[in-house]
Amino acid sequence: MNNFSSRTLWRFGYSARLLNTNHFRTAASSTSFPAVWMLLAQYSGRIPGSFVVVQRNSFFTMPETVEDKADLELYSPPPKVRGMTQLSREAFKRTVVVPVLKVKKEIIGTLLKSLKHTVLQRPGLKRVIEDPEDENSRLLILDPHKIPEFSLGESEQEILKQFNIPPAVRKYDLELTYDNFKSEEILRAVLPEGQDVTSGFSRVGHIAHLNLRDHQLPYRHLIGQVIIDKNPGVTCVVNKTSIIDSTYRNFQMEVLAGESNLVTKVKENNIAYELDFSKVYWNPRLSTEHGRIVELLKPGDVLFDVFAGVGPFAIPAAKKKCSVFANDLNPESYNWLLHNCKLNKVYNKIKAFNMDGRDFLLGPVREELSKELPLQTEEQKTSFHIVMNLPALALEFLDVFRHLLVGEPCSTAVLPTVHCYGFSKHGDPAKDIQERAEASLGTSLDGRCSTYLVRNVAPNKEMMCISFQIPADVLYKRPCPAEEKPASKRLRTSKDFSEETLLS
Ligand SMILES: C[S@@+](CC[C@H](N)C(=O)[O-])C[C@H]1O[C@@H](n2cnc3c(N)ncnc32)[C@H](O)[C@@H]1O
């Protein structure tokens, strides 16, 4: 695989290991166009729209090297666009010679269906055009790649026979414009030869978000404009100008092209969110993970979202009729979280907080758990989930659970389940994450946790999720007495409480 494709796929979240085992090809590496048409187009100098009839097998085959060079021609803009930093769409015009079939206009629709795999497909290009010499006929543009040496294959000839059309293919000078090239083709023609052309981007509502490298920076405004032109719905293109290491997980960005409005609307798993992309964290690559966690919840469960962002766990959980406590330290995230609660009409199911995650766990979470856990019985119980999606740091917050409920009545009927995220560059990321969680909690999780590979973030960097029930000895600083039967609130007496306090 060449640099371009490996980088593009990497940017879209494929792991380097996957790339090695799967076979991906770029358009350029998988195409093989007959050389003659392209070279003829270049040198014939004929006016666009004129054509000559070509007899079957009347062309010679070009030597392989020339063919390789010419392979790229049909889909390449003219060489003069190389190095362009300000987009001039006019400069992309070029003429290529393509095979056409002259067909009576009454049957063109039916023939088009029968020959759909043989006609030329380019963005914005009509496959049927007027015949300049005969108003009762039309010209059907064929793909030179599918008609080597202008000679129709047997199956195409068979189809033409059925329609009573002579199998004579004509040559036609077709004018290609900027609209007929794909963004990848345009950028490959403009950027320095032999360097990576990355047209991959993340889409967040109307915003396309790039992460350009140094050699691409002189072309950044052109790249931005090409992305807007070629992607309907994208009206703003930004480039990341700092790595994502800020406390709030957002990053500085430069608007490369289009409007400078970074307040956008996105849809994830059928739920709408609004957010200011320049001020809060939003990653479209986490939608599956958000869905996976929400899928684990049942109506009536309680979710504590320690690093909630604008609500992609919290809001779907509330929609599922869970009670949600959602927190984020970034005041902007907190405000957009409130906004999204209103937008999705789940205001009454979510309590929102704007505090440090540690304070949130030691305050509202502790308070709620100490109030609710003693009420749980084997027969009637609620599940409590704590989501901690701050992969760079969250594992270091796990020590908060050590003795969080010390002194509280011990309940084994329900222990809260933690889903904590972490990055790992380790050869065995699952082991690494488990060991780091254990170090933070001060106990072994062997046989009582599961680890999940969320996504490949960069070559050799994985995002993992570890899920476990907080062991009773961690939470209460003692094992819950085996004989202790969880009691319902009504059955509990003050004696129960004083005995438990003594035990702790
Ligand atoms: C990786 S984002 C995750 C957001 C959201 N949960 C998601 O899945 O898209 C982490 C969030 O944690 C917030 N954050 C960072 N440090 C924090 C802290 N110490 N306490 C609470 N929130 C924090 C950031 O503002 C950011 O919104």
Side-chain angles (χ1 to χ4, degrees):
M1 185 188 304
N2 66 18
N3 281 345
F4 169 74
S5 50
S6 75
R7 185 169 163 81
T8 307
L9 289 166
W10 175 81
R11 288 166 64 85
F12 279 106
Y14 290 80
S15 84
R17 272 161 272 181
L18 269 178
L19 293 180
N20 289 337
T21 52
N22 288 312
H23 187 62
F24 296 102
R25 292 166 70 151
T26 61
S29 67
S30 61
T31 49
S32 165
F33 299 98
V36 228
W37 319 141
M38 320 315 153
L39 292 176
L40 280 173
Q42 220 169 354
Y43 301 117
S44 66
R46 278 172 295 129
I47 48 160
S50 69
F51 56 86
V52 292
V53 177
V54 181
Q55 293 306 313
R56 188 174 158 73
N57 294 334
S58 62
F59 277 82
F60 58 92
T61 314
M62 298 296 286
E64 220 178 282
T65 46
V66 180
E67 181 163 321
D68 284 350
K69 182 177 177 291
D71 273 353
L72 300 169
E73 297 279 334
L74 178 64
Y75 296 157
S76 289
K80 66 176 175 190
V81 302
R82 174 90 55 216
M84 177 188 278
T85 50
Q86 260 211 316
L87 183 63
S88 158
R89 296 178 184 82
E90 275 296 297
F92 285 79
K93 280 193 182 148
R94 72 184 296 253
T95 302
V96 290
V97 182
V98 291
V100 293
L101 270 177
K102 182 181 167 88
V103 181
K104 286 273 163 250
K105 67 177 183 189
E106 298 78 41
I107 55 166
I108 193 85
T110 335
L111 183 69
L112 190 58
K113 276 188 203 140
S114 306
L115 286 178
K116 64 174 185 262
H117 297 300
T118 318
V119 292
L120 181 61
Q121 313 261 14
R122 295 296 301 157
L125 194 77
K126 284 187 182 161
R127 293 168 300 174
V128 178
I129 50 173
E130 304 277 320
D131 181 346
E133 293 179 347
D134 178 358
E135 61 174 31
N136 294 318
S137 293
R138 296 286 179 269
L139 299 177
L140 185 60
I141 305 181
L142 304 179
D143 184 344
H145 189 203
K146 311 269 173 63
I147 312 288
E149 298 176 17
F150 278 43
S151 59
L152 291 163
E154 275 177 24
S155 60
E156 287 88 12
Q157 291 196 44
E158 199 49 50
I159 292 167
L160 294 186
K161 210 186 219 171
Q162 286 165 20
F163 285 88
N164 226 354
I165 301 171
V169 175
R170 294 149 187 259
K171 283 169 44 180
Y172 181 83
D173 287 353
L174 177 72
E175 185 178 75
L176 293 176
T177 68
Y178 174 81
D179 292 340
N180 307 132
F181 295 110
K182 298 178 188 167
S183 48
E184 189 186 311
E185 293 160 351
I186 292 169
L187 299 182
R188 188 175 297 124
V190 170
L191 266 66
E193 217 162 355
Q195 298 213 354
D196 268 10
V197 176
T198 304
S199 54
F201 58 85
S202 296
R203 175 99 184 250
V204 179
H206 68 281
I207 304 163
H209 157 222
L210 307 176
N211 189 5
L212 295 178
R213 281 170 305 149
D214 288 350
H215 75 271
Q216 297 162 331
L217 291 178
Y219 307 92
R220 63 191 186 282
H221 298 296
L222 179 142
I223 295 173
Q225 191 54 55
V226 171
I227 288 174
I228 288 182
D229 290 345
K230 298 294 176 181
N231 295 278
V234 172
T235 54
C236 169
V237 179
V238 297
N239 184 40
K240 202 190 252 188
T241 54
S242 71
I243 52 166
I244 182 168
D245 60 357
S246 72
T247 308
Y248 300 150
R249 320 309 299 161
N250 56 347
F251 41 82
Q252 280 154 21
M253 53 186 81
E254 181 193 9
V255 176
L256 302 182
E259 52 173 331
S260 299
N261 168 24
L262 293 168
V263 173
T264 193
K265 190 167 188 158
V266 291
K267 220 170 193 195
E268 181 180 275
N269 302 328
N270 281 323
I271 295 180
Y273 302 86
E274 286 173 356
L275 54 105
D276 183 336
F277 190 54
S278 63
K279 301 208 168 107
V280 302
Y281 178 89
W282 181 266
N283 188 339
R285 291 171 189 153
L286 288 179
S287 62
T288 309
E289 181 58 14
H290 295 144
R292 184 182 74 90
I293 295 294
V294 174
E295 189 65 26
L296 302 174
L297 308 175
K298 295 184 303 301
D301 284 354
V302 179
L303 174 72
F304 301 103
D305 191 350
V306 186
F307 309 106
V310 301
F313 289 114
I315 290 183
K319 284 214 157 221
K320 216 174 169 180
K321 302 204 180 338
C322 296
S323 298
V324 179
F325 293 70
N327 172 66
D328 202 285
L329 182 62
N330 179 356
E332 290 283 345
S333 288
Y334 169 76
N335 285 331
W336 284 105
L337 172 67
L338 294 178
H339 176 87
N340 288 316
C341 289
K342 275 194 203 131
L343 187 70
N344 288 286
K345 303 187 175 62
V346 288
Y347 211 75
N348 56 346
K349 296 297 283 178
I350 299 187
K351 285 192 182 133
F353 300 84
N354 177 209
M355 55 206 295
D356 178 75
R358 195 169 277 275
D359 297 336
F360 174 65
L361 288 164
L362 289 167
V365 176
R366 184 187 184 286
E367 196 179 309
E368 188 65 15
L369 289 177
S370 35
K371 193 173 75 184
E372 290 298 323
L373 290 186
L375 307 183
Q376 307 301 313
T377 63
E378 284 298 339
E379 297 74 40
Q380 212 183 359
K381 58 187 179 186
T382 305
S383 296
F384 295 81
H385 292 262
I386 303 174
V387 174
M388 302 173 68
N389 182 16
L390 178 60
L393 286 176
L395 289 162
E396 291 167 29
F397 281 68
L398 292 179
D399 66 302
V400 175
F401 296 118
R402 290 195 199 194
H403 320 155
L404 183 70
L405 298 183
V406 69
E408 298 292 331
C410 197
S411 162
T412 45
V414 173
L415 289 166
T417 303
V418 172
H419 309 279
C420 184
Y421 294 84
F423 293 129
S424 178
K425 293 183 172 177
H426 203 270
D428 184 346
K431 182 164 171 268
D432 175 43
I433 292 295
Q434 183 180 330
E435 283 174 1
R436 283 157 59 199
E438 288 173 342
S440 214
L441 287 167
T443 194
S444 165
L445 290 174
D446 259 354
R448 40 185 189 172
C449 69
S450 63
T451 44
Y452 183 82
L453 170 64
V454 178
R455 69 185 199 98
N456 173 249
V457 181
N460 304 320
K461 183 174 176 184
E462 319 292 348
M463 176 175 171
M464 306 293 295
C465 177
I466 182 165
S467 297
F468 57 89
Q469 282 199 315
I470 310 173
D473 53 337
V474 171
L475 205 53
Y476 296 101
K477 200 184 170 182
R478 62 177 192 277
C480 287
E483 69 281 4
E484 184 185 332
K485 292 272 178 298
S488 74
K489 194 179 189 184
R490 258 178 282 115
L491 295 175
R492 292 173 77 82
T493 64
S494 55
K495 191 163 161 278
D496 291 329
F497 284 97
S498 55
E499 275 172 7
E500 283 157 357
T501 313
L502 280 175
L503 276 166
S504 64

